[in-house]
Amino acid sequence: MKYDVYGVGNSLVDIQAHVSDDFLASLKYPKGGMTLVDEPTQIQVLESLNNGKAAKITRCAGGSAANTMMGLVDFGGKGAYAGKTADDEIGQFFLADMRDQGIRIEVPAIQGQSGTCVILITDDAQRTMLTHLGVSSQLGPDDIDEAEIAQSQYVYVEGYLFTGDSTKQAALKAIDLAKKNGVKVAFTVSDPFLIDLFRDEFWKLIEGPVDLLFCNLDEARSLTGKQDPIECAHIIHEYAENVAMTLGADGSILMHEQKVIPIEGVPTKAVDTTGAGDMYAAGVLYGITNGLSWHQAGHLASHAASRVVSQLGARLERPFTKEEIAELMA
């Protein structure tokens, strides 16, 4: 296969900023959550950050599925991606950043404002996200490339796409084309609030075309109405062939062939939890498309998630070397 994974998601430039609790409180958005904002609000927040409200600001190509694809290629995997950008400076930055890492992305840019996600990080390592989707919300079915999907082992779709009709149709088309071409489907539910909005649609996917479901414990509890992690995982595994459920510092649970595969957590000092789940998904997807066992893939994913939360941003500042991966697998 030409690609390990074909990712589909919102194309956003992540702008990470360290801020005080007082500044965050002044914005009156829920701490630790993700809020969709309009363009004027995003511009106002960015102006405040540039005027000294942030201790440090960095940026990189982002969005949930894009973060996972970046992690995949950092491990040595091969990926393609579908996401919409504008022909502005932010969009050009996004495309260059993705392509420089070796990810193929050929969706044509359009006029407008590219999407951004301002990630406000406080001293307790909590991250509060303000997202302006921009033209990323205009990704549509025509942007999905069947030839690229047919050359992939997995299609990976983020749940955030279900918040817009056009992006939802793009996600569903990618899933349909994957099934048509014998390609496996991985899906992440992305956020507990999405389950409240799209519970029936998500369960329809889990019961149908999804071969691998990614979720965290809160999302699993919301999906199942149960509290115990093992019980949640078993219920989801009755319908999804494979399940990868993260448990924060307690590690994760993989479900494969009716077996529970517990994966240990890797202790670390959390600096920024942005992208922990995305990086975990990257480790699992890289592993299962490159000859690792499910336990090995989970082991790698756990170490990767731990490393990414010990730094600022969703991109690994120090990617794993081939030697490190080999040592972990041993």
Side-chain angles (χ1 to χ4, degrees), residues 19-30 37 41 44-46 48-49 53 118 120 128 130:
V19 300
S20 67
D21 278 303
D22 288 343
F23 174 73
L24 184 60
S26 73
L27 297 176
K28 298 181 179 172
Y29 292 108
V37 299
T41 299
Q44 185 177 12
V45 171
L46 288 170
S48 296
L49 297 176
K53 295 298 185 180
V118 174
L120 303 171
T128 303
L130 305 180

Side-chain angles (χ1 to χ4, degrees), residues 71 92 114 130 150 163 172 191 198:
Q92 291 167 9
S114 292
L130 305 180
T163 59
L172 294 175
D191 196 292
F198 307 110

Side-chain angles (χ1 to χ4, degrees), residues 11-317:
S11 294
L12 308 172
V13 170
D14 284 347
I15 301 169
Q16 298 104 1
H18 264 302
V19 300
S20 67
D21 278 303
D22 288 343
F23 174 73
L24 184 60
S26 73
L27 297 176
K28 298 181 179 172
Y29 292 108
K31 186 176 184 178
M34 192 283 284
T35 304
L36 292 174
V37 299
D38 58 21
E39 186 175 341
T41 299
Q42 196 78 308
I43 290 172
Q44 185 177 12
V45 171
L46 288 170
E47 287 177 348
S48 296
L49 297 176
N50 290 328
N51 288 332
K53 295 298 185 180
K56 180 182 179 182
I57 300 175
T58 60
R59 70 176 187 170
C60 63
S64 177
N67 287 337
T68 294
M69 297 304 298
M70 287 290 208
L72 175 90
V73 298
D74 267 348
F75 290 125
K78 304 181 295 295
Y81 180 78
K84 183 73 80 174
T85 54
D87 54 359
D88 56 2
E89 189 275 333
I90 288 176
Q92 291 167 9
F93 172 85
F94 180 95
L95 294 176
D97 201 19
M98 294 282 279
R99 289 166 177 164
D100 285 349
Q101 298 301 311
I103 297 171
R104 181 177 173 83
I105 173 170
E106 298 302 329
V107 176
I110 60 174
Q111 288 189 336
Q113 179 75 35
S114 292
T116 54
C117 180
V118 174
I119 303 164
L120 303 171
I121 304 152
T122 42
D123 287 340
D124 58 2
Q126 284 268 38
R127 84 282 188 276
T128 303
M129 296 182 288
L130 305 180
T131 302
H132 169 56
L133 293 173
V135 302
S136 70
S137 65
Q138 296 182 43
L139 179 74
D142 290 345
D143 296 313
I144 304 302
D145 191 328
E146 181 174 5
E148 300 279 71
I149 288 176
Q151 298 178 82
S152 306
Q153 295 186 57
Y154 265 87
V155 161
Y156 179 67
V157 174
E158 64 175 64
Y160 289 123
L161 294 174
F162 280 71
T163 59
D165 183 64
S166 179
T167 51
K168 180 193 294 188
Q169 295 309 313
L172 294 175
K173 182 175 180 180
I175 291 170
D176 288 343
L177 290 176
K179 294 285 107 174
K180 174 185 173 183
N181 288 278
V183 175
K184 290 186 177 294
V185 173
F187 179 68
T188 173
V189 295
S190 296
D191 196 292
F193 90 89
L194 292 174
I195 297 169
D196 293 334
L197 297 174
F198 307 110
R199 184 181 308 277
D200 291 344
E201 289 176 88
F202 284 2
W203 267 115
K204 186 176 179 181
L205 293 175
I206 294 166
E207 294 168 352
V210 170
D211 299 285
L212 168 57
L213 182 78
F214 287 97
C215 61
N216 62 30
L217 181 56
D218 287 341
E219 292 156 358
R221 285 170 169 165
S222 182
L223 278 169
T224 63
K226 304 297 182 181
Q227 289 296 308
D228 180 73
I230 298 294
E231 187 177 7
C232 290
H234 272 293
I235 290 172
I236 297 170
H237 190 41
E238 288 178 15
Y239 305 98
E241 181 182 357
N242 304 289
V243 181
M245 184 175 74
T246 57
L247 307 173
D250 294 326
S252 60
I253 294 171
L254 297 179
M255 299 293 298
H256 177 63
E257 294 181 343
Q258 307 303 317
K259 296 177 182 176
V260 178
I261 305 173
I263 304 296
E264 79 294 347
V266 179
T268 190
K269 180 182 178 182
V271 173
D272 171 19
T273 55
T274 306
D278 300 333
M279 187 57 66
Y280 180 87
V284 170
L285 287 168
Y286 168 79
I288 62 176
T289 57
N290 283 274
L292 304 186
S293 69
W294 280 84
H295 186 273
Q296 287 175 321
H299 187 61
L300 175 62
S302 188
H303 278 266
S306 175
R307 182 174 293 188
V308 84
V309 302
S310 69
Q311 55 157 68
L312 180 66
R315 185 88 54 83
L316 284 175
E317 294 174 354

